[in-house]
PDB file of all heavy atoms in Angstrom:
ATOM      1  N   SER A 397      99.290  88.604  94.963  1.00  0.00           N
ATOM      2  CA  SER A 397      98.620  87.367  94.520  1.00  0.00           C
ATOM      3  C   SER A 397      98.513  87.306  93.013  1.00  0.00           C
ATOM      4  O   SER A 397      98.881  86.326  92.395  1.00  0.00           O
ATOM      5  CB  SER A 397      97.219  87.360  95.175  1.00  0.00           C
ATOM      6  OG  SER A 397      96.468  86.246  94.681  1.00  0.00           O
ATOM      7  N   HIS A 398      98.001  88.430  92.394  1.00  0.00           N
ATOM      8  CA  HIS A 398      97.824  88.411  90.940  1.00  0.00           C
ATOM      9  C   HIS A 398      99.116  88.334  90.205  1.00  0.00           C
ATOM     10  O   HIS A 398      99.264  87.725  89.187  1.00  0.00           O
ATOM     11  CB  HIS A 398      97.043  89.625  90.545  1.00  0.00           C
ATOM     12  CG  HIS A 398      95.528  89.524  90.828  1.00  0.00           C
ATOM     13  ND1 HIS A 398      94.766  88.643  90.183  1.00  0.00           N
ATOM     14  CD2 HIS A 398      94.740  90.158  91.706  1.00  0.00           C
ATOM     15  CE1 HIS A 398      93.469  88.752  90.635  1.00  0.00           C
ATOM     16  NE2 HIS A 398      93.491  89.659  91.556  1.00  0.00           N
ATOM     17  N   LEU A 399     100.146  89.046  90.748  1.00  0.00           N
ATOM     18  CA  LEU A 399     101.485  88.987  90.091  1.00  0.00           C
ATOM     19  C   LEU A 399     102.069  87.623  90.162  1.00  0.00           C
ATOM     20  O   LEU A 399     102.614  87.158  89.168  1.00  0.00           O
ATOM     21  CB  LEU A 399     102.363  90.090  90.708  1.00  0.00           C
ATOM     22  CG  LEU A 399     103.813  90.101  90.119  1.00  0.00           C
ATOM     23  CD1 LEU A 399     103.787  90.368  88.625  1.00  0.00           C
ATOM     24  CD2 LEU A 399     104.626  91.249  90.830  1.00  0.00           C
ATOM     25  N   ALA A 400     101.964  86.993  91.333  1.00  0.00           N
ATOM     26  CA  ALA A 400     102.541  85.638  91.446  1.00  0.00           C
ATOM     27  C   ALA A 400     101.791  84.646  90.518  1.00  0.00           C
ATOM     28  O   ALA A 400     102.511  83.862  89.813  1.00  0.00           O
ATOM     29  CB  ALA A 400     102.361  85.188  92.852  1.00  0.00           C
ATOM     30  N   ASN A 401     100.515  84.786  90.414  1.00  0.00           N
ATOM     31  CA  ASN A 401      99.776  83.891  89.497  1.00  0.00           C
ATOM     32  C   ASN A 401     100.103  84.173  88.031  1.00  0.00           C
ATOM     33  O   ASN A 401     100.216  83.235  87.238  1.00  0.00           O
ATOM     34  CB  ASN A 401      98.251  84.032  89.724  1.00  0.00           C
ATOM     35  CG  ASN A 401      97.807  83.565  91.062  1.00  0.00           C
ATOM     36  OD1 ASN A 401      98.471  82.736  91.732  1.00  0.00           O
ATOM     37  ND2 ASN A 401      96.709  83.993  91.554  1.00  0.00           N
ATOM     38  N   ALA A 402     100.274  85.415  87.673  1.00  0.00           N
ATOM     39  CA  ALA A 402     100.614  85.778  86.302  1.00  0.00           C
ATOM     40  C   ALA A 402     101.982  85.276  85.999  1.00  0.00           C
ATOM     41  O   ALA A 402     102.249  84.738  84.858  1.00  0.00           O
ATOM     42  CB  ALA A 402     100.542  87.292  86.076  1.00  0.00           C
ATOM     43  N   LEU A 403     102.953  85.409  86.871  1.00  0.00           N
ATOM     44  CA  LEU A 403     104.317  84.872  86.647  1.00  0.00           C
ATOM     45  C   LEU A 403     104.261  83.325  86.468  1.00  0.00           C
ATOM     46  O   LEU A 403     104.926  82.791  85.650  1.00  0.00           O
ATOM     47  CB  LEU A 403     105.216  85.272  87.790  1.00  0.00           C
ATOM     48  CG  LEU A 403     105.608  86.739  87.906  1.00  0.00           C
ATOM     49  CD1 LEU A 403     106.254  87.036  89.289  1.00  0.00           C
ATOM     50  CD2 LEU A 403     106.524  87.124  86.780  1.00  0.00           C
ATOM     51  N   LEU A 404     103.457  82.704  87.254  1.00  0.00           N
ATOM     52  CA  LEU A 404     103.365  81.293  87.145  1.00  0.00           C
ATOM     53  C   LEU A 404     102.743  80.823  85.833  1.00  0.00           C
ATOM     54  O   LEU A 404     103.235  79.891  85.196  1.00  0.00           O
ATOM     55  CB  LEU A 404     102.479  80.721  88.344  1.00  0.00           C
ATOM     56  CG  LEU A 404     102.416  79.214  88.519  1.00  0.00           C
ATOM     57  CD1 LEU A 404     103.779  78.635  88.836  1.00  0.00           C
ATOM     58  CD2 LEU A 404     101.417  78.885  89.605  1.00  0.00           C
ATOM     59  N   ASP A 405     101.743  81.609  85.379  1.00  0.00           N
ATOM     60  CA  ASP A 405     101.168  81.326  84.073  1.00  0.00           C
ATOM     61  C   ASP A 405     102.184  81.546  82.935  1.00  0.00           C
ATOM     62  O   ASP A 405     102.067  80.836  81.884  1.00  0.00           O
ATOM     63  CB  ASP A 405      99.975  82.290  83.847  1.00  0.00           C
ATOM     64  CG  ASP A 405      98.736  81.870  84.638  1.00  0.00           C
ATOM     65  OD1 ASP A 405      98.737  80.664  85.101  1.00  0.00           O
ATOM     66  OD2 ASP A 405      97.860  82.710  84.880  1.00  0.00           O
ATOM     67  N   MET A 406     103.143  82.418  83.138  1.00  0.00           N
ATOM     68  CA  MET A 406     104.216  82.638  82.146  1.00  0.00           C
ATOM     69  C   MET A 406     105.416  81.739  82.338  1.00  0.00           C
ATOM     70  O   MET A 406     106.429  81.932  81.740  1.00  0.00           O
ATOM     71  CB  MET A 406     104.645  84.113  82.220  1.00  0.00           C
ATOM     72  CG  MET A 406     103.521  85.092  81.783  1.00  0.00           C
ATOM     73  SD  MET A 406     102.980  84.907  80.097  1.00  0.00           S
ATOM     74  CE  MET A 406     104.416  85.336  79.185  1.00  0.00           C
ATOM     75  N   ASN A 407     105.234  80.726  83.215  1.00  0.00           N
ATOM     76  CA  ASN A 407     106.264  79.752  83.537  1.00  0.00           C
ATOM     77  C   ASN A 407     107.472  80.358  84.192  1.00  0.00           C
ATOM     78  O   ASN A 407     108.629  79.746  84.125  1.00  0.00           O
ATOM     79  CB  ASN A 407     106.700  78.990  82.245  1.00  0.00           C
ATOM     80  CG  ASN A 407     107.162  77.590  82.608  1.00  0.00           C
ATOM     81  OD1 ASN A 407     106.705  76.937  83.520  1.00  0.00           O
ATOM     82  ND2 ASN A 407     108.139  77.086  81.833  1.00  0.00           N
ATOM     83  N   ARG A 408     107.332  81.497  84.830  1.00  0.00           N
ATOM     84  CA  ARG A 408     108.420  82.135  85.595  1.00  0.00           C
ATOM     85  C   ARG A 408     108.334  81.693  87.072  1.00  0.00           C
ATOM     86  O   ARG A 408     107.992  82.466  87.910  1.00  0.00           O
ATOM     87  CB  ARG A 408     108.339  83.711  85.398  1.00  0.00           C
ATOM     88  CG  ARG A 408     108.689  84.042  83.954  1.00  0.00           C
ATOM     89  CD  ARG A 408     108.234  85.500  83.658  1.00  0.00           C
ATOM     90  NE  ARG A 408     108.978  86.464  84.465  1.00  0.00           N
ATOM     91  CZ  ARG A 408     108.797  87.767  84.271  1.00  0.00           C
ATOM     92  NH1 ARG A 408     108.000  88.287  83.361  1.00  0.00           N
ATOM     93  NH2 ARG A 408     109.410  88.672  85.048  1.00  0.00           N
ATOM     94  N   LYS A 409     108.574  80.429  87.297  1.00  0.00           N
ATOM     95  CA  LYS A 409     108.230  79.738  88.487  1.00  0.00           C
ATOM     96  C   LYS A 409     109.054  80.231  89.709  1.00  0.00           C
ATOM     97  O   LYS A 409     108.536  80.354  90.829  1.00  0.00           O
ATOM     98  CB  LYS A 409     108.318  78.247  88.333  1.00  0.00           C
ATOM     99  CG  LYS A 409     107.371  77.674  87.387  1.00  0.00           C
ATOM    100  CD  LYS A 409     107.480  76.156  87.256  1.00  0.00           C
ATOM    101  CE  LYS A 409     106.482  75.596  86.230  1.00  0.00           C
ATOM    102  NZ  LYS A 409     106.621  74.188  86.062  1.00  0.00           N
ATOM    103  N   ASP A 410     110.325  80.478  89.500  1.00  0.00           N
ATOM    104  CA  ASP A 410     111.181  80.939  90.608  1.00  0.00           C
ATOM    105  C   ASP A 410     110.712  82.265  91.162  1.00  0.00           C
ATOM    106  O   ASP A 410     110.654  82.533  92.358  1.00  0.00           O
ATOM    107  CB  ASP A 410     112.653  81.026  90.183  1.00  0.00           C
ATOM    108  CG  ASP A 410     113.291  79.643  89.900  1.00  0.00           C
ATOM    109  OD1 ASP A 410     112.752  78.643  90.420  1.00  0.00           O
ATOM    110  OD2 ASP A 410     114.284  79.599  89.237  1.00  0.00           O
ATOM    111  N   GLU A 411     110.376  83.222  90.230  1.00  0.00           N
ATOM    112  CA  GLU A 411     109.914  84.527  90.615  1.00  0.00           C
ATOM    113  C   GLU A 411     108.573  84.381  91.386  1.00  0.00           C
ATOM    114  O   GLU A 411     108.276  85.098  92.420  1.00  0.00           O
ATOM    115  CB  GLU A 411     109.798  85.421  89.408  1.00  0.00           C
ATOM    116  CG  GLU A 411     111.113  85.709  88.772  1.00  0.00           C
ATOM    117  CD  GLU A 411     110.847  86.446  87.433  1.00  0.00           C
ATOM    118  OE1 GLU A 411     110.681  87.650  87.416  1.00  0.00           O
ATOM    119  OE2 GLU A 411     110.866  85.762  86.427  1.00  0.00           O
ATOM    120  N   ALA A 412     107.708  83.549  90.820  1.00  0.00           N
ATOM    121  CA  ALA A 412     106.406  83.296  91.466  1.00  0.00           C
ATOM    122  C   ALA A 412     106.588  82.756  92.906  1.00  0.00           C
ATOM    123  O   ALA A 412     105.874  83.183  93.815  1.00  0.00           O
ATOM    124  CB  ALA A 412     105.582  82.351  90.639  1.00  0.00           C
ATOM    125  N   GLU A 413     107.495  81.845  93.105  1.00  0.00           N
ATOM    126  CA  GLU A 413     107.717  81.248  94.377  1.00  0.00           C
ATOM    127  C   GLU A 413     108.118  82.287  95.423  1.00  0.00           C
ATOM    128  O   GLU A 413     107.676  82.238  96.552  1.00  0.00           O
ATOM    129  CB  GLU A 413     108.759  80.098  94.250  1.00  0.00           C
ATOM    130  CG  GLU A 413     108.884  79.262  95.519  1.00  0.00           C
ATOM    131  CD  GLU A 413     109.767  78.044  95.262  1.00  0.00           C
ATOM    132  OE1 GLU A 413     110.506  78.001  94.252  1.00  0.00           O
ATOM    133  OE2 GLU A 413     109.708  77.141  96.132  1.00  0.00           O
ATOM    134  N   VAL A 414     108.972  83.193  95.003  1.00  0.00           N
ATOM    135  CA  VAL A 414     109.373  84.289  95.897  1.00  0.00           C
ATOM    136  C   VAL A 414     108.198  85.137  96.363  1.00  0.00           C
ATOM    137  O   VAL A 414     108.098  85.417  97.511  1.00  0.00           O
ATOM    138  CB  VAL A 414     110.451  85.152  95.206  1.00  0.00           C
ATOM    139  CG1 VAL A 414     110.712  86.369  96.048  1.00  0.00           C
ATOM    140  CG2 VAL A 414     111.753  84.447  95.020  1.00  0.00           C
ATOM    141  N   LEU A 415     107.302  85.384  95.455  1.00  0.00           N
ATOM    142  CA  LEU A 415     106.141  86.225  95.823  1.00  0.00           C
ATOM    143  C   LEU A 415     105.150  85.458  96.630  1.00  0.00           C
ATOM    144  O   LEU A 415     104.548  86.042  97.564  1.00  0.00           O
ATOM    145  CB  LEU A 415     105.466  86.786  94.513  1.00  0.00           C
ATOM    146  CG  LEU A 415     106.274  87.748  93.779  1.00  0.00           C
ATOM    147  CD1 LEU A 415     105.437  88.369  92.622  1.00  0.00           C
ATOM    148  CD2 LEU A 415     106.849  88.861  94.588  1.00  0.00           C
ATOM    149  N   TYR A 416     104.970  84.166  96.384  1.00  0.00           N
ATOM    150  CA  TYR A 416     104.054  83.398  97.253  1.00  0.00           C
ATOM    151  C   TYR A 416     104.624  83.360  98.672  1.00  0.00           C
ATOM    152  O   TYR A 416     103.839  83.442  99.661  1.00  0.00           O
ATOM    153  CB  TYR A 416     103.910  81.966  96.697  1.00  0.00           C
ATOM    154  CG  TYR A 416     103.081  81.867  95.471  1.00  0.00           C
ATOM    155  CD1 TYR A 416     103.487  81.159  94.352  1.00  0.00           C
ATOM    156  CD2 TYR A 416     101.796  82.458  95.435  1.00  0.00           C
ATOM    157  CE1 TYR A 416     102.681  81.015  93.228  1.00  0.00           C
ATOM    158  CE2 TYR A 416     101.010  82.376  94.247  1.00  0.00           C
ATOM    159  CZ  TYR A 416     101.499  81.645  93.199  1.00  0.00           C
ATOM    160  OH  TYR A 416     100.647  81.514  92.011  1.00  0.00           O
ATOM    161  N   ALA A 417     105.957  83.204  98.801  1.00  0.00           N
ATOM    162  CA  ALA A 417     106.534  83.263 100.124  1.00  0.00           C
ATOM    163  C   ALA A 417     106.320  84.603 100.846  1.00  0.00           C
ATOM    164  O   ALA A 417     106.077  84.674 102.062  1.00  0.00           O
ATOM    165  CB  ALA A 417     108.051  82.928 100.010  1.00  0.00           C
ATOM    166  N   ARG A 418     106.376  85.694 100.064  1.00  0.00           N
ATOM    167  CA  ARG A 418     106.032  87.023 100.666  1.00  0.00           C
ATOM    168  C   ARG A 418     104.633  87.093 101.109  1.00  0.00           C
ATOM    169  O   ARG A 418     104.353  87.720 102.140  1.00  0.00           O
ATOM    170  CB  ARG A 418     106.415  88.093  99.630  1.00  0.00           C
ATOM    171  CG  ARG A 418     107.844  88.449  99.493  1.00  0.00           C
ATOM    172  CD  ARG A 418     108.119  89.571  98.496  1.00  0.00           C
ATOM    173  NE  ARG A 418     107.449  90.834  98.812  1.00  0.00           N
ATOM    174  CZ  ARG A 418     107.457  91.842  98.005  1.00  0.00           C
ATOM    175  NH1 ARG A 418     108.008  91.828  96.810  1.00  0.00           N
ATOM    176  NH2 ARG A 418     106.824  92.929  98.342  1.00  0.00           N
ATOM    177  N   GLN A 419     103.732  86.526 100.368  1.00  0.00           N
ATOM    178  CA  GLN A 419     102.367  86.506 100.767  1.00  0.00           C
ATOM    179  C   GLN A 419     102.168  85.738 102.102  1.00  0.00           C
ATOM    180  O   GLN A 419     101.422  86.214 102.989  1.00  0.00           O
ATOM    181  CB  GLN A 419     101.521  85.745  99.697  1.00  0.00           C
ATOM    182  CG  GLN A 419     101.123  86.580  98.525  1.00  0.00           C
ATOM    183  CD  GLN A 419     100.237  85.879  97.601  1.00  0.00           C
ATOM    184  OE1 GLN A 419     100.679  85.269  96.597  1.00  0.00           O
ATOM    185  NE2 GLN A 419      99.001  85.806  97.899  1.00  0.00           N
ATOM    186  N   VAL A 420     102.872  84.666 102.246  1.00  0.00           N
ATOM    187  CA  VAL A 420     102.807  83.919 103.497  1.00  0.00           C
ATOM    188  C   VAL A 420     103.307  84.709 104.673  1.00  0.00           C
ATOM    189  O   VAL A 420     102.798  84.647 105.776  1.00  0.00           O
ATOM    190  CB  VAL A 420     103.528  82.561 103.363  1.00  0.00           C
ATOM    191  CG1 VAL A 420     103.592  81.832 104.727  1.00  0.00           C
ATOM    192  CG2 VAL A 420     102.816  81.682 102.341  1.00  0.00           C
ATOM    193  N   GLU A 421     104.396  85.482 104.475  1.00  0.00           N
ATOM    194  CA  GLU A 421     104.896  86.348 105.477  1.00  0.00           C
ATOM    195  C   GLU A 421     103.870  87.346 105.967  1.00  0.00           C
ATOM    196  O   GLU A 421     103.722  87.608 107.179  1.00  0.00           O
ATOM    197  CB  GLU A 421     106.160  87.103 105.006  1.00  0.00           C
ATOM    198  CG  GLU A 421     107.396  86.237 104.779  1.00  0.00           C
ATOM    199  CD  GLU A 421     108.545  87.040 104.223  1.00  0.00           C
ATOM    200  OE1 GLU A 421     108.468  88.281 104.223  1.00  0.00           O
ATOM    201  OE2 GLU A 421     109.528  86.466 103.726  1.00  0.00           O
ATOM    202  N   PHE A 422     103.125  87.914 105.007  1.00  0.00           N
ATOM    203  CA  PHE A 422     102.120  88.898 105.368  1.00  0.00           C
ATOM    204  C   PHE A 422     100.884  88.264 105.985  1.00  0.00           C
ATOM    205  O   PHE A 422     100.217  88.838 106.859  1.00  0.00           O
ATOM    206  CB  PHE A 422     101.670  89.717 104.132  1.00  0.00           C
ATOM    207  CG  PHE A 422     102.784  90.610 103.610  1.00  0.00           C
ATOM    208  CD1 PHE A 422     103.029  90.660 102.265  1.00  0.00           C
ATOM    209  CD2 PHE A 422     103.605  91.344 104.464  1.00  0.00           C
ATOM    210  CE1 PHE A 422     104.062  91.507 101.743  1.00  0.00           C
ATOM    211  CE2 PHE A 422     104.637  92.166 103.945  1.00  0.00           C
ATOM    212  CZ  PHE A 422     104.852  92.213 102.588  1.00  0.00           C
ATOM    213  N   ASP A 423     100.474  87.030 105.522  1.00  0.00           N
ATOM    214  CA  ASP A 423      99.275  86.391 105.980  1.00  0.00           C
ATOM    215  C   ASP A 423      99.536  84.863 106.062  1.00  0.00           C
ATOM    216  O   ASP A 423      99.263  84.185 105.051  1.00  0.00           O
ATOM    217  CB  ASP A 423      98.108  86.696 105.101  1.00  0.00           C
ATOM    218  CG  ASP A 423      96.762  86.143 105.601  1.00  0.00           C
ATOM    219  OD1 ASP A 423      96.813  85.500 106.648  1.00  0.00           O
ATOM    220  OD2 ASP A 423      95.776  86.394 104.920  1.00  0.00           O
ATOM    221  N   PRO A 424     100.038  84.346 107.201  1.00  0.00           N
ATOM    222  CA  PRO A 424     100.342  82.948 107.305  1.00  0.00           C
ATOM    223  C   PRO A 424      99.128  82.019 107.203  1.00  0.00           C
ATOM    224  O   PRO A 424      99.289  80.809 107.072  1.00  0.00           O
ATOM    225  CB  PRO A 424     100.978  82.848 108.731  1.00  0.00           C
ATOM    226  CG  PRO A 424     101.380  84.224 109.043  1.00  0.00           C
ATOM    227  CD  PRO A 424     100.390  85.108 108.390  1.00  0.00           C
ATOM    228  N   LYS A 425      97.934  82.607 107.288  1.00  0.00           N
ATOM    229  CA  LYS A 425      96.695  81.758 107.193  1.00  0.00           C
ATOM    230  C   LYS A 425      96.106  81.694 105.792  1.00  0.00           C
ATOM    231  O   LYS A 425      95.090  81.041 105.660  1.00  0.00           O
ATOM    232  CB  LYS A 425      95.659  82.305 108.184  1.00  0.00           C
ATOM    233  CG  LYS A 425      96.111  82.255 109.641  1.00  0.00           C
ATOM    234  CD  LYS A 425      96.240  80.848 110.148  1.00  0.00           C
ATOM    235  CE  LYS A 425      96.525  80.767 111.679  1.00  0.00           C
ATOM    236  NZ  LYS A 425      96.694  79.378 112.079  1.00  0.00           N
ATOM    237  N   ASP A 426      96.696  82.348 104.844  1.00  0.00           N
ATOM    238  CA  ASP A 426      96.166  82.390 103.507  1.00  0.00           C
ATOM    239  C   ASP A 426      96.486  81.062 102.747  1.00  0.00           C
ATOM    240  O   ASP A 426      97.701  80.833 102.473  1.00  0.00           O
ATOM    241  CB  ASP A 426      96.730  83.570 102.717  1.00  0.00           C
ATOM    242  CG  ASP A 426      96.060  83.849 101.353  1.00  0.00           C
ATOM    243  OD1 ASP A 426      95.302  82.944 100.929  1.00  0.00           O
ATOM    244  OD2 ASP A 426      96.265  84.852 100.761  1.00  0.00           O
ATOM    245  N   VAL A 427      95.530  80.259 102.551  1.00  0.00           N
ATOM    246  CA  VAL A 427      95.769  78.918 102.066  1.00  0.00           C
ATOM    247  C   VAL A 427      96.279  78.869 100.615  1.00  0.00           C
ATOM    248  O   VAL A 427      97.049  78.012 100.183  1.00  0.00           O
ATOM    249  CB  VAL A 427      94.477  78.042 102.211  1.00  0.00           C
ATOM    250  CG1 VAL A 427      93.400  78.553 101.268  1.00  0.00           C
ATOM    251  CG2 VAL A 427      94.766  76.567 101.934  1.00  0.00           C
ATOM    252  N   GLY A 428      95.861  79.879  99.816  1.00  0.00           N
ATOM    253  CA  GLY A 428      96.274  79.900  98.382  1.00  0.00           C
ATOM    254  C   GLY A 428      97.763  79.837  98.146  1.00  0.00           C
ATOM    255  O   GLY A 428      98.257  78.913  97.510  1.00  0.00           O
ATOM    256  N   PRO A 429      98.516  80.800  98.689  1.00  0.00           N
ATOM    257  CA  PRO A 429      99.976  80.786  98.463  1.00  0.00           C
ATOM    258  C   PRO A 429     100.634  79.583  99.112  1.00  0.00           C
ATOM    259  O   PRO A 429     101.666  79.041  98.627  1.00  0.00           O
ATOM    260  CB  PRO A 429     100.488  82.131  99.056  1.00  0.00           C
ATOM    261  CG  PRO A 429      99.377  82.547  99.912  1.00  0.00           C
ATOM    262  CD  PRO A 429      98.140  82.075  99.298  1.00  0.00           C
ATOM    263  N   LEU A 430     100.115  79.123 100.275  1.00  0.00           N
ATOM    264  CA  LEU A 430     100.713  77.923 100.910  1.00  0.00           C
ATOM    265  C   LEU A 430     100.574  76.708  99.984  1.00  0.00           C
ATOM    266  O   LEU A 430     101.540  75.946  99.758  1.00  0.00           O
ATOM    267  CB  LEU A 430      99.943  77.658 102.225  1.00  0.00           C
ATOM    268  CG  LEU A 430     100.222  78.632 103.340  1.00  0.00           C
ATOM    269  CD1 LEU A 430      99.199  78.397 104.450  1.00  0.00           C
ATOM    270  CD2 LEU A 430     101.611  78.532 103.856  1.00  0.00           C
ATOM    271  N   ALA A 431      99.405  76.493  99.364  1.00  0.00           N
ATOM    272  CA  ALA A 431      99.225  75.363  98.449  1.00  0.00           C
ATOM    273  C   ALA A 431     100.060  75.525  97.193  1.00  0.00           C
ATOM    274  O   ALA A 431     100.616  74.571  96.660  1.00  0.00           O
ATOM    275  CB  ALA A 431      97.744  75.214  98.091  1.00  0.00           C
ATOM    276  N   ASN A 432     100.159  76.783  96.700  1.00  0.00           N
ATOM    277  CA  ASN A 432     100.972  77.029  95.470  1.00  0.00           C
ATOM    278  C   ASN A 432     102.446  76.717  95.775  1.00  0.00           C
ATOM    279  O   ASN A 432     103.185  76.236  94.903  1.00  0.00           O
ATOM    280  CB  ASN A 432     100.752  78.435  94.987  1.00  0.00           C
ATOM    281  CG  ASN A 432      99.447  78.593  94.224  1.00  0.00           C
ATOM    282  OD1 ASN A 432      99.066  77.702  93.541  1.00  0.00           O
ATOM    283  ND2 ASN A 432      98.795  79.735  94.389  1.00  0.00           N
TER     284      ASN A 432
END
């Protein structure tokens, strides 16, 4: 979560998107990465 958010803050959006997708794999009910 923190790495994805930090990457997003640094405008490294493609890398952040990959990590948000990994979060969803681990926890499909986590609304944060889904919305991101």
Side-chain angles (χ1 to χ4, degrees):
S397 176
H398 284 293
L399 179 55
N401 292 339
L403 289 167
L404 191 60
D405 288 340
M406 295 298 295
N407 208 33
R408 294 164 61 177
K409 296 180 181 180
D410 290 341
E411 295 168 85
E413 189 170 15
V414 170
L415 293 187
Y416 287 132
R418 281 179 62 184
Q419 283 183 259
V420 172
E421 289 178 13
F422 293 136
D423 186 358
K425 298 293 185 181
D426 189 348
V427 67
L430 290 168
N432 281 325

